[in-house]
Amino acid sequence: MAENQLRVPADQDLLVFGATGDLARRKLLPALYELSLQGLLPRKGEILGTATKEQGDHGFREFARQAVQEFARSGFREREFAEFAKRLRYVTTTHDQSGTGEKLSKALQLPHRLVYLAVPPSAFTTILEELRRANLARGSSLIIEKPFGHDLKSAIALNQALHRVLPEERIYRIDHYLGKETVQNLLVFRFGNTLIERIWNRDVVDRVQLTVAEDIGIETRGRLYEETGALRDIVQNHMLQLLALTCMSPPSSFDPEALRDEKVKVLHSIRPVDPSEVVRGQYTRGSVHGELMPGYREMEGVSQDSTTETYVAMRVSVDSWEWAGVPFYLRCGKALCTRRTEIVLYCRDVPVHLFRGTDIGHLTANRVTIRIQPDEGISFSVLAKEPGPTVIEQPVRLDFSYGQSFKTQPAEAYERLLHDAFLGDHTLFIRQDETEAAWTALEPVLEHMPRVNFYPAGSEGPEAANSLLLSGSWHDLSHHIETGPRLSDV
Ligand code: BG6
């Protein structure tokens, strides 16, 4: 992967379905612009946008200009944008895609292309069929966005539909979490450090908590979210991928398939989740960072008696030699008190307390915290003696922070992923068997969804989530993580 970073991809076009949508505006166009600034787009190749909106190349370029002005991480530069905009072209398509294939075929210049389906999954099959009919599948590779199905059955059907048109080697399933620097660093942290790999198993680790907390609500996505919910939106993909990267054994090489083989082994080792070990929640009206947030059921597109979950917590077992017996606690939610994605490994306690029988209490066991976002970094919580005449143990933090160590802003996940797909590198994309294994683990819950508990927006989620823990408590969301020695960490 590393050597990819400066490689210029072979000549090819990029064809984007859903080119006037939210994903294109917020993520794809800004990421493509950043790649253009770095000289990492193919030397020759157009970006052909298509959607039902009636407009020409000029209209699309204006749309892209606004997208870049609003969302490009390194800011808008007129001359550089003009250079990038030369690649942008647009073709209007019909709702039922009739005749689309011919139109696109005429507009595309090169024999090879990357096709990006930035459209709702309900549109996939028609588009795939149109690509096949117009003989455009030949020479194409395909990027698709989650959700990869709605459950195991629909995921299998989707994979079959994809494979009727393209082989697996030309399909890129995006989970943008894999494009995050901090997520990729999990591999380097684990497999590049003897110190770490030695402690990374059931002998030392007592339990693990994974959290994806968001402080935003569902915003304008009410209608879509009603059919999704947190389990399908976050757990099935982002969280199970984080779990797989946390638990996987070292791959035999850095070959994409070797890595994905190891991830899929973990996903297969997850014991199908017992619905009684799952807590679902939905946010009600509350206040987030001092601002009033309406409840989920008050949002446009949401039914007034909706039971869709905006929060889910669960206990998961990984039946592998390395992890058997270690509970993994997963939780994610919208409208919580903070935005934070983290993995916390709690170590077992020392076998004998040195100061047993004295007044000096033993405070806490070691802990490794991987901060995926924000405040990206990794810290160890260890005990130290507080200076002074008596022995007082204090938890202190050994810390690595990306900002401080590298003094650079990480690239956006979509930049990395688009560049890799242009290069034909599958490492950071999800393979067919991974999606199916992840759905299999969640099947019992999807079949018997536990009832929904309510929690006020701005809180840490429903109280009922505490009942899942066999020991300890959930890592506190309301404080900034471990800002130094703190007795409250005890
Ligand atoms: C998306 C989900 O995949 O990830 C959204 O559909 C969620 O609901 C988003 O808000 C979170 O991404 P990030 O990168 O902000 O953690």
Side-chain angles (χ1 to χ4, degrees):
M1 300 198 281
E3 66 276 16
N4 277 351
Q5 277 168 13
L6 298 171
R7 272 173 56 198
V8 177
D11 294 345
Q12 59 198 292
D13 290 318
L14 172 68
L15 170 59
V16 182
F17 283 85
T20 55
D22 218 40
L23 180 68
R25 187 170 74 90
R26 285 171 182 269
K27 300 287 181 191
L28 304 183
L29 289 163
L32 289 162
Y33 166 77
E34 296 290 346
L35 289 177
S36 162
L37 290 184
Q38 297 160 55
L40 292 177
L41 287 178
R43 274 196 194 90
K44 237 172 104 189
E46 292 183 333
I47 298 170
L48 183 64
T50 175
T52 48
K53 183 174 177 173
E54 302 260 356
Q55 65 177 3
D57 295 349
H58 179 71
F60 186 46
R61 286 178 187 153
E62 278 312 299
F63 174 76
R65 169 190 291 275
Q66 282 169 21
V68 170
Q69 279 171 340
E70 201 174 343
F71 296 108
R73 89 183 147 88
S74 65
F76 178 82
R77 283 185 265 159
E78 186 62 55
R79 214 156 46 124
E80 283 77 1
F81 178 79
E83 197 49 40
F84 168 65
K86 284 185 196 154
R87 292 178 185 261
L88 300 175
R89 293 188 45 226
Y90 186 83
V91 166
T92 303
T93 48
T94 51
H95 275 288
D96 65 358
Q97 302 291 340
S98 53
T100 297
E102 282 73 26
K103 267 194 186 175
L104 294 173
S105 210
K106 272 193 214 135
L108 287 162
Q109 305 286 323
L110 299 172
H112 295 286
R113 74 207 61 88
L114 198 53
V115 180
Y116 203 122
L117 301 193
V119 292
S122 53
F124 284 2
T125 333
T126 327
I127 295 178
L128 288 170
E129 183 48 33
E130 196 56 27
L131 290 177
R132 197 188 56 76
R133 214 184 45 77
N135 214 10
L136 273 174
R138 195 181 321 153
S140 292
S141 295
L142 187 72
I143 306 187
I144 59 167
E145 281 281 337
K146 73 173 188 60
F148 310 120
H150 196 68
D151 52 16
L152 179 60
K153 196 165 153 229
S154 55
I156 294 174
L158 172 63
N159 285 330
Q160 285 170 344
L162 288 166
H163 290 162
R164 273 196 290 278
V165 181
L166 286 169
E168 182 66 22
E169 316 77 84
R170 287 201 267 133
I171 298 172
Y172 297 82
R173 293 179 194 79
I174 278 205
D175 178 322
H176 79 282
Y177 261 57
L178 295 182
K180 290 182 191 277
E181 281 290 342
T182 40
V183 173
Q184 291 161 47
N185 184 53
L186 256 173
L187 298 176
V188 176
F189 179 62
R190 289 195 48 202
F191 303 129
N193 298 299
T194 320
L195 207 63
I196 304 304
E197 195 45 26
R198 293 286 144 143
I199 62 163
W200 214 260
N201 54 55
R202 64 196 297 273
D203 295 337
V204 177
V205 177
D206 180 65
R207 60 193 189 279
V208 182
Q209 289 187 15
L210 285 89
T211 301
V212 176
E214 295 184 85
D215 51 7
I216 51 168
I218 49 124
E219 301 184 311
T220 53
R221 295 166 65 204
R223 205 146 40 86
L224 190 77
Y225 201 84
E226 273 287 85
E227 287 164 23
T228 320
L231 195 67
R232 294 183 168 93
D233 187 40
I234 302 281
V235 178
Q236 192 274 343
N237 34 77
H238 305 330
M239 293 204 86
L240 291 187
Q241 283 294 318
L242 289 180
L243 179 76
L245 291 169
T246 304
C247 294
M248 65 184 260
S249 299
S252 53
S253 70
F254 227 36
D255 173 78
E257 298 318 320
L259 191 115
R260 302 198 296 177
D261 286 347
E262 293 305 330
K263 276 199 294 163
V264 87
K265 273 193 219 161
V266 177
L267 294 168
H268 281 307
S269 327
I270 298 176
R271 197 183 303 164
V273 179
D274 182 340
S276 70
E277 293 172 3
V278 176
V279 168
R280 293 163 73 233
Q282 186 189 87
Y283 67 89
T284 53
R285 181 183 283 236
S287 139
V288 182
H289 307 306
E291 302 245 327
L292 184 75
M293 184 179 286
Y296 176 70
R297 288 182 178 179
E298 298 174 61
M299 301 303 288
E300 202 186 318
V302 174
S303 143
Q304 281 179 5
D305 53 4
S306 167
T307 54
T308 301
E309 78 284 351
T310 57
Y311 173 101
V312 63
M314 60 176 68
R315 187 163 73 227
V316 172
S317 306
V318 178
D319 288 337
S320 68
W321 277 60
E322 294 83 4
W323 296 105
V326 176
F328 285 80
Y329 299 105
L330 276 52
R331 70 176 158 168
C332 66
K334 299 236 179 241
L336 297 178
C337 56
T338 192
R339 171 175 184 255
R340 186 185 303 170
T341 298
E342 67 183 14
I343 304 169
V344 187
L345 291 90
Y346 294 84
C347 298
R348 292 188 189 287
D349 211 347
V350 289
V352 177
H353 291 176
L354 188 58
F355 304 110
R356 67 190 182 284
T358 71
D359 289 344
I360 306 158
H362 182 75
L363 295 179
T364 181
N366 298 143
R367 190 167 66 211
V368 183
T369 304
I370 300 168
R371 303 190 300 276
I372 304 288
Q373 64 188 22
D375 183 23
E376 291 79 0
I378 297 174
S379 63
F380 285 77
S381 163
V382 297
L383 289 182
K385 177 186 168 298
E386 190 178 298
T390 50
V391 179
I392 298 179
E393 289 176 327
Q394 275 277 25
V396 293
R397 171 164 96 143
L398 311 179
D399 192 40
F400 151 62
S401 142
Y402 275 82
Q404 280 174 18
S405 296
F406 295 120
K407 310 226 173 325
T408 164
Q409 203 192 9
E412 267 281 318
Y414 275 92
E415 283 169 47
R416 175 61 194 262
L417 294 172
L418 278 163
H419 185 231
D420 279 3
F422 274 130
L423 291 171
D425 183 340
H426 277 89
T427 311
L428 301 178
F429 296 89
I430 311 236
R431 206 168 59 187
Q432 169 201 356
D433 48 357
E434 290 181 73
T435 60
E436 292 176 12
W439 282 118
T440 305
L442 299 178
E443 273 295 281
V445 189
L446 294 172
E447 278 166 16
H448 300 282
M449 284 283 208
R451 70 181 179 84
V452 146
N453 301 268
F454 296 99
Y455 63 97
S459 67
E460 294 198 30
E463 298 259 322
N466 295 328
S467 67
L468 297 172
L469 303 174
L470 299 174
S471 62
S473 52
W474 286 105
H475 202 191
D476 189 359
L477 287 182
S478 60
H479 288 102
H480 187 264
I481 320 160
E482 302 162 1
T483 43
R486 276 197 339 209
L487 274 168
S488 58
D489 272 348
V490 175

